[in-house]
Amino acid sequence: MADQLNYPEGEALSDQIARRHTRGKIWRSSFLVALIIAILVLVSLVYNVVNQAFGLVAVENAIDPAVLVSQTGADPATVSLDELTKDDYVEMLQANISTGLGRRLERDQRFYEDRLVFDNQAAWDAACAAAEPAAGCLLPARDTDNVYQLVIERVVEQRVIETWFLRDSLLRGDEIRAEFLAENPNAEIEFRSWLTADFLTRPQSSRPELAGVRTAIFGSLWVVLVTLLFSFPVGVGAAIYLEEYASKQNIVNRIIQTNINNLAGVPSIIYGMLGLAIFVRVLGAVSSGYLFDYASIENRQNSLINSMESNFGITIIIEDGDVTSAIEGPNAAFDLSVTEAQLLVDEFTTLSWRNFDIDEVDASVIVARGLRIPVSVETDDNGTERLVPKDDSVMTAANFSLLSREMANAAKAIDNGRTVISAGLTLGLLILPIIIINAQEAVRAVPLSMRQASMGLGATQWQTIWNHVLPQALPGILTGTILAMSRAIGETAPLVVVGASTFIAFDPNGPFSKFTVMPIQIYQWTSRPQAEFRNIAAAAIIVLLILLLSLNATAVLLRNRYANK
Amino acid sequence: MMQGNYALQAKDLNIYYGSFRAVKDIELNIHTNKITSFIGPSGCGKSTLLRAFNRMNDLIEISHMKGSIEYKGKNLYDSDVDPVEVRRRIGMVFQKPNPFPKSIYDNIAWGAKINGFRGNMDELVEESLRSAALWDEVKDKLDQSGLSLSGGQQQRLCIARTIAVKPEIILMDEPCSALDPIATLKIEELMRQLQEEYTIVIVTHNMQQAARASDYTAFLNMDSSDRAGYMVEFNETNEMFTSPQNQETEDYITGRFG
Ligand SMILES: Nc1ncnc2c1ncn2[C@@H]1O[C@H](COP(=O)(O)OP(=O)(O)OP(=O)(O)O)[C@@H](O)[C@H]1O
Ligand SMILES: [Mg+2]
């Protein structure tokens, strides 16, 4: 009885209970506030991205389409540019672009089956008789639509001169139109989504209207593939060893365990330094693909030397596999003809996946170890970009011999491990502790009774692990892997250190390719001065998020399939 | 009692968890084709002792033992004895039913498969399920998960799984503690049938079960000074329950314990 008096009764009891409920309610509402804050942050992030990825743009044409229409004799009031004939379009091209450009377009694909527009017959026949005939010799002639596109691209030359955010575009679209058009009567204002199908399928470009994320998407996928192929088996294997075989009593194992836990918290840039030191430098011969590609690289070097000799009269001397000198040809100081420069640049671009950085600053020069060739980027009808030397490509003999030496050395490509495989392995190291820790947890969560049941039937430890522990731990292991993969896709810093390129106009096509990845592409675009780059950066962020979500969704589906079994 | 008719002989057995001695100085003979039950208060080391018989304690890293357990004249803990083979000969059924998250069929077939069974698997599954008195209940749903069965059925599935690999001795750790009286009776009946072919050792908290279902009974108690379990009395079950030799035993089985 005396004990009972120590507890509140009656009024006091209900007061006490009410107080306990109040405390619970306060906690509950503070959790709700936390949730709301989190949602607000997320919403504002999405808003910010969407706001920039869509909106009004002001475009201006070099030549007003109406003027072009009236030049053909048609009435611009009733006929629009896209309703004309192929002959009209070809005439427009003849009137408005240089013969050099026209000839190049014709070599790519001719305008008419039966006659030449820009080239003369003799040169054309020569080009077609060459060992590697021009593409146009083999292709059928361009159709009307194709020529119309050329007119839009080369003659009308539409340029974006101003962009607006989605919010402004929606709220005060009319105002913007009125104000801007008053000042720029030649401009047109239209609504544009920067995220288009073309944006996904086009490679990187120095012009924001033409730039796409294809190379970056491929880069990210390749890197993540290598990362997973490395870290999933290694991580799960290590986790199984630590959980199932290693004695918890053993001091060495405990030190290893503590280290793994701490490694998960090491800043990613440190892994970048590690990757640079190991994969790029020490294992450069492996990670550049040189070891696996030896023969073809030797051949490449030889053909390059021959081409230098026959085209430029430059002799390259090789001793013990190294270029010792390049002897200049007959012209002491020559102007590079456009053809010669093109040849050189083509050699360059085939090599560039290994060894050259194409300077991203408006891609107007190729930089090879201090040497610069002025170039411009041109897009052909298929949307592929090609580097074209500027007409004023002048190069001194000294520079040229230096360049050819560089190129011959580049063909060897011994020392450049800044490739997909180095990046993938670096990220693999980065997420390895995450995968190990999660897999360990999943393995530990398999109840002892399962192991007892299995061992009690006379199963060996490995049979128990393979048949019971792993299948039951798999959903947990995959959850950890999903987390780790998301981290890997978003990583930027270590890849900058390991040497992701900032400008890659070619799809990575294997573990030994140079590459760029989505986050680096985004970072690079946001740091460009032109406003349109920020728009496409926002579009790229949306692409990255979608990529991330779809990879995760795949992994979750996979996991659920196993979990249901 | 004839010498040589023992399935297992524990000699001077001491089992430790780290530095803690859980079971001390056990001298015990398990008779072939008989049912032996272990009774005793909670924590006195019955499970620990039982697990020692098929080296299940090896799975517990901190546990180690002194003394010997002889099986067919050979110490199970000799360095040339493979625990995998020990467990194949001496099977175990656990307190909590623990079927694999596989089909009923695979629950039984798996153990046979890993032990290199070469006969007709369908026949083996049927025969094992029949011996465990489960066949009629599950014969139409062999491809359903073992986890979809009731607790009592799951426990009989675990027994069937153990029988399927044809051990010589079956160890059961409180196999009925999660079951209702009817399921319990079924399992006791089953033990009586299995006894013809197998030697059975069972841990139980249920005095009537020990009295009803076993031929021999060992009573273990916990030493109040060092908390180690020791064997108070071992005898034929009838003797033990009608005229216990030891005061402690009498107190325990009549419920005056503690
Ligand atoms: N894995 C383990 N690690 C450390 N100590 C253990 C472990 N398993 C059992 N013990 C200890 O050994 C002693 C005997 O335990 P055991 O499980 O054998 O008792 P029991 O007789 O089976 O009890 P119950 O009837 O409650 O099942 C207990 O003091 C227990 O704390
Ligand atoms: Mg027990």
Coordinates of all heavy atoms in Angstrom, one line a residue, chain A residues 448, chain B residues 15-18 20-23 39-51 57 59-63 95 173-174 203-205 220 222 227-229 252, ligand 1:
Chain A
L448 N 22.0 -16.6 -36.9 CA 22.9 -17.8 -36.6 C 22.1 -19.1 -36.8 O 22.7 -20.1 -37.2 CB 23.3 -17.7 -35.1 CG 24.2 -18.8 -34.6 CD1 25.5 -18.8 -35.3 CD2 24.3 -18.8 -33.1
Chain B
I15 N 33.3 -27.4 -20.6 CA 33.1 -26.5 -21.8 C 33.2 -25.1 -21.3 O 32.5 -24.7 -20.3 CB 31.8 -26.8 -22.5 CG1 31.7 -28.3 -22.9 CG2 31.7 -26.0 -23.8 CD1 30.4 -28.7 -23.4
Y16 N 33.9 -24.2 -22.0 CA 34.1 -22.8 -21.6 C 33.6 -21.9 -22.7 O 33.6 -22.2 -23.9 CB 35.6 -22.6 -21.4 CG 36.3 -23.5 -20.4 CD1 36.7 -24.8 -20.7 CD2 36.5 -23.0 -19.1 CE1 37.3 -25.6 -19.8 CE2 37.2 -23.8 -18.2 CZ 37.5 -25.1 -18.5 OH 38.2 -25.9 -17.6
Y17 N 33.1 -20.7 -22.2 CA 32.9 -19.6 -23.1 C 33.9 -18.5 -22.7 O 33.7 -17.9 -21.6 CB 31.5 -19.0 -23.0 CG 30.4 -20.0 -23.5 CD1 29.5 -20.7 -22.7 CD2 30.4 -20.2 -24.9 CE1 28.6 -21.5 -23.2 CE2 29.4 -21.1 -25.4 CZ 28.5 -21.7 -24.6 OH 27.6 -22.6 -25.1
G18 N 35.0 -18.4 -23.4 CA 36.1 -17.5 -22.9 C 36.6 -18.1 -21.7 O 37.0 -19.3 -21.7
F20 N 34.8 -18.3 -18.9 CA 33.7 -18.8 -18.1 C 33.5 -20.3 -18.4 O 33.3 -20.7 -19.5 CB 32.5 -17.9 -18.4 CG 31.2 -18.5 -17.8 CD1 31.0 -18.6 -16.5 CD2 30.2 -19.0 -18.7 CE1 29.8 -19.2 -15.9 CE2 29.0 -19.6 -18.2 CZ 28.8 -19.6 -16.8
R21 N 33.5 -21.1 -17.3 CA 33.2 -22.5 -17.5 C 31.7 -22.7 -17.4 O 31.1 -22.5 -16.3 CB 33.9 -23.3 -16.4 CG 33.7 -24.8 -16.6 CD 34.8 -25.6 -16.0 NE 34.8 -25.5 -14.5 CZ 35.4 -26.4 -13.7 NH1 36.1 -27.3 -14.2 NH2 35.3 -26.3 -12.4
A22 N 31.1 -23.1 -18.5 CA 29.6 -23.3 -18.5 C 29.2 -24.6 -18.0 O 28.2 -24.8 -17.4 CB 29.1 -23.0 -19.9
V23 N 30.1 -25.7 -18.3 CA 29.7 -27.0 -18.0 C 31.0 -27.7 -17.4 O 32.1 -27.5 -17.9 CB 29.2 -27.8 -19.2 CG1 29.2 -29.3 -18.9 CG2 27.9 -27.3 -19.7
I39 N 17.5 -32.8 -18.4 CA 16.6 -31.8 -17.8 C 17.5 -31.0 -16.8 O 18.6 -31.4 -16.5 CB 15.5 -32.4 -17.0 CG1 16.0 -33.4 -16.0 CG2 14.5 -33.2 -18.0 CD1 14.9 -34.0 -15.0
G40 N 17.0 -29.8 -16.4 CA 17.7 -29.0 -15.5 C 17.3 -27.6 -15.6 O 16.6 -27.2 -16.6
P41 N 17.6 -26.7 -14.6 CA 17.2 -25.3 -14.6 C 17.8 -24.6 -15.8 O 18.8 -24.9 -16.3 CB 17.6 -24.8 -13.3 CG 18.7 -25.7 -12.9 CD 18.4 -27.0 -13.4
S42 N 17.2 -23.4 -16.1 CA 17.6 -22.6 -17.2 C 19.0 -22.1 -16.9 O 19.3 -21.7 -15.8 CB 16.7 -21.4 -17.4 OG 17.0 -20.7 -18.5
G43 N 19.9 -22.2 -18.0 CA 21.2 -21.7 -17.8 C 22.2 -22.6 -17.3 O 23.4 -22.3 -17.0
C44 N 21.8 -23.9 -17.0 CA 22.7 -24.8 -16.4 C 23.6 -25.5 -17.4 O 24.5 -26.3 -17.1 CB 22.0 -25.9 -15.6 SG 21.1 -27.0 -16.7
G45 N 23.4 -25.2 -18.7 CA 24.4 -25.7 -19.7 C 23.9 -26.9 -20.5 O 24.7 -27.6 -21.1
K46 N 22.6 -27.2 -20.5 CA 22.1 -28.3 -21.3 C 22.3 -28.2 -22.8 O 22.8 -29.1 -23.4 CB 20.5 -28.5 -21.1 CG 20.1 -28.6 -19.6 CD 18.6 -28.7 -19.5 CE 17.9 -27.5 -19.9 NZ 18.1 -26.3 -19.1
S47 N 22.0 -27.0 -23.3 CA 22.2 -26.8 -24.7 C 23.7 -26.8 -25.1 O 24.1 -27.4 -26.1 CB 21.7 -25.4 -25.2 OG 20.3 -25.3 -24.9
T48 N 24.5 -26.2 -24.2 CA 26.0 -26.2 -24.4 C 26.5 -27.7 -24.5 O 27.2 -28.0 -25.4 CB 26.6 -25.5 -23.2 OG1 26.1 -24.2 -23.1 CG2 28.1 -25.4 -23.4
L49 N 26.0 -28.5 -23.6 CA 26.5 -29.9 -23.6 C 26.0 -30.6 -24.8 O 26.8 -31.3 -25.5 CB 25.9 -30.6 -22.3 CG 26.2 -32.1 -22.2 CD1 27.7 -32.3 -22.1 CD2 25.6 -32.6 -20.9
L50 N 24.7 -30.4 -25.2 CA 24.2 -31.0 -26.4 C 25.0 -30.7 -27.6 O 25.3 -31.5 -28.4 CB 22.7 -30.7 -26.5 CG 21.9 -31.5 -27.5 CD1 21.7 -32.9 -27.0 CD2 20.6 -30.8 -27.9
R51 N 25.3 -29.4 -27.7 CA 26.0 -28.9 -28.9 C 27.4 -29.5 -29.0 O 27.9 -29.6 -30.1 CB 26.1 -27.4 -28.9 CG 24.8 -26.7 -29.3 CD 25.0 -25.3 -29.8 NE 25.6 -24.5 -28.7 CZ 24.9 -23.7 -27.9 NH1 23.6 -23.6 -28.1 NH2 25.4 -23.0 -26.9
N57 N 29.4 -26.3 -31.1 CA 30.0 -25.2 -30.4 C 31.2 -24.6 -31.1 O 31.6 -23.5 -30.9 CB 30.5 -25.7 -29.0 CG 29.4 -25.8 -28.0 OD1 28.4 -25.1 -28.1 ND2 29.5 -26.7 -27.1
L59 N 31.0 -23.3 -33.9 CA 30.6 -22.1 -34.5 C 30.6 -20.9 -33.6 O 30.5 -19.8 -34.1 CB 29.1 -22.3 -35.0 CG 28.7 -23.4 -35.9 CD1 27.4 -23.2 -36.5 CD2 29.8 -23.5 -37.0
I60 N 30.7 -21.2 -32.3 CA 30.8 -20.1 -31.4 C 32.3 -19.8 -31.1 O 33.0 -20.7 -30.5 CB 30.1 -20.4 -30.1 CG1 28.6 -20.6 -30.4 CG2 30.2 -19.2 -29.1 CD1 27.8 -21.3 -29.3
E61 N 32.8 -18.7 -31.6 CA 34.2 -18.5 -31.6 C 34.9 -18.6 -30.2 O 36.0 -19.1 -30.1 CB 34.5 -17.1 -32.2 CG 35.8 -17.1 -32.9 CD 36.1 -15.7 -33.5 OE1 35.2 -15.0 -33.8 OE2 37.3 -15.3 -33.5
I62 N 34.2 -18.0 -29.2 CA 34.9 -18.0 -27.9 C 34.8 -19.3 -27.1 O 35.4 -19.4 -26.0 CB 34.3 -16.8 -27.0 CG1 32.8 -17.0 -26.9 CG2 34.6 -15.5 -27.6 CD1 32.2 -16.1 -25.8
S63 N 34.1 -20.3 -27.7 CA 33.9 -21.5 -26.9 C 35.0 -22.5 -27.1 O 35.5 -22.6 -28.3 CB 32.5 -22.1 -27.2 OG 32.7 -23.3 -27.8
Q95 N 15.8 -25.6 -31.1 CA 14.7 -25.2 -30.3 C 13.7 -24.4 -31.2 O 12.5 -24.7 -31.1 CB 15.2 -24.3 -29.2 CG 14.1 -23.7 -28.4 CD 14.6 -23.0 -27.1 OE1 15.8 -23.0 -26.8 NE2 13.7 -22.4 -26.3
D173 N 17.2 -30.0 -29.3 CA 17.3 -29.0 -28.3 C 15.9 -28.4 -28.1 O 15.5 -27.5 -28.8 CB 18.3 -27.9 -28.6 CG 18.6 -27.0 -27.4 OD1 18.0 -27.2 -26.4 OD2 19.6 -26.2 -27.5
E174 N 15.2 -28.8 -27.1 CA 13.8 -28.3 -26.8 C 13.0 -28.2 -28.0 O 12.5 -27.2 -28.4 CB 13.9 -26.9 -26.1 CG 14.7 -27.0 -24.8 CD 14.7 -25.6 -24.1 OE1 13.6 -25.0 -24.1 OE2 15.7 -25.2 -23.6
V203 N 16.8 -32.3 -25.2 CA 16.8 -31.4 -24.0 C 15.4 -30.9 -23.9 O 14.7 -30.6 -24.8 CB 17.7 -30.1 -24.3 CG1 17.5 -29.1 -23.2 CG2 19.2 -30.5 -24.4
T204 N 14.9 -30.9 -22.6 CA 13.5 -30.5 -22.4 C 13.4 -29.8 -21.1 O 14.1 -30.1 -20.1 CB 12.5 -31.7 -22.6 OG1 11.2 -31.2 -22.3 CG2 12.8 -32.8 -21.6
H205 N 12.4 -28.9 -21.0 CA 12.0 -28.3 -19.7 C 10.8 -28.9 -19.2 O 10.3 -28.6 -18.1 CB 11.8 -26.8 -19.9 CG 13.0 -26.0 -19.9 ND1 13.7 -25.8 -18.7 CD2 13.7 -25.3 -20.8 CE1 14.8 -25.0 -19.0 NE2 14.8 -24.8 -20.2
L220 N 20.9 -32.0 -14.8 CA 22.0 -31.1 -14.6 C 21.5 -30.0 -13.7 O 20.4 -29.6 -13.8 CB 22.5 -30.5 -16.0 CG 23.2 -31.5 -16.9 CD1 22.3 -32.3 -17.8 CD2 24.3 -30.7 -17.7
M222 N 23.0 -26.1 -11.7 CA 24.0 -25.1 -11.7 C 24.7 -25.0 -10.4 O 24.0 -24.8 -9.4 CB 23.4 -23.8 -12.2 CG 24.5 -22.9 -12.7 SD 23.9 -21.4 -13.5 CE 22.2 -21.3 -13.3
R227 N 28.7 -21.0 -10.9 CA 27.6 -20.9 -11.9 C 27.9 -21.9 -13.1 O 27.3 -21.8 -14.1 CB 27.4 -19.5 -12.5 CG 27.3 -18.4 -11.4 CD 26.7 -17.1 -11.9 NE 25.4 -17.3 -12.6 CZ 24.3 -17.4 -11.9 NH1 24.3 -17.5 -10.6 NH2 23.2 -17.6 -12.6
A228 N 28.8 -22.9 -12.8 CA 29.0 -23.9 -13.9 C 28.0 -25.0 -13.7 O 27.6 -25.4 -12.6 CB 30.4 -24.5 -13.7
G229 N 27.6 -25.6 -14.9 CA 26.6 -26.7 -14.8 C 27.4 -28.0 -14.5 O 28.5 -28.2 -15.0
Y252 N 13.9 -31.0 -7.7 CA 13.7 -30.4 -9.0 C 12.5 -31.1 -9.7 O 11.6 -30.4 -10.2 CB 14.9 -30.6 -9.9 CG 14.8 -29.9 -11.2 CD1 14.8 -28.5 -11.3 CD2 14.5 -30.6 -12.4 CE1 14.7 -27.9 -12.5 CE2 14.4 -30.0 -13.6 CZ 14.5 -28.6 -13.7 OH 14.3 -27.9 -14.8
Ligands
LIG1 N1 27.3 -18.1 -27.1 C1 27.6 -18.0 -25.8 N2 28.5 -17.1 -25.4 C2 28.8 -16.9 -24.0 N3 28.1 -17.6 -23.1 C3 27.2 -18.5 -23.4 C4 26.8 -18.7 -24.8 N4 25.9 -19.6 -24.8 C5 25.6 -19.9 -23.6 N5 26.4 -19.3 -22.7 C6 26.4 -19.4 -21.2 O1 26.5 -20.7 -20.9 C7 25.7 -21.0 -19.8 C8 24.8 -22.2 -20.2 O2 24.0 -21.8 -21.3 P1 23.1 -22.9 -22.1 O3 22.4 -22.1 -23.2 O4 23.8 -24.1 -22.4 O5 22.0 -23.1 -20.9 P2 20.7 -24.1 -21.0 O6 20.8 -25.0 -19.9 O7 20.5 -24.5 -22.4 O8 19.6 -23.0 -20.6 P3 18.0 -22.9 -21.2 O9 17.3 -24.0 -20.5 O10 17.6 -21.6 -20.7 O11 18.1 -23.1 -22.7 C9 24.8 -19.8 -19.5 O12 25.4 -19.2 -18.4 C10 25.0 -18.9 -20.7 O13 25.1 -17.6 -20.3

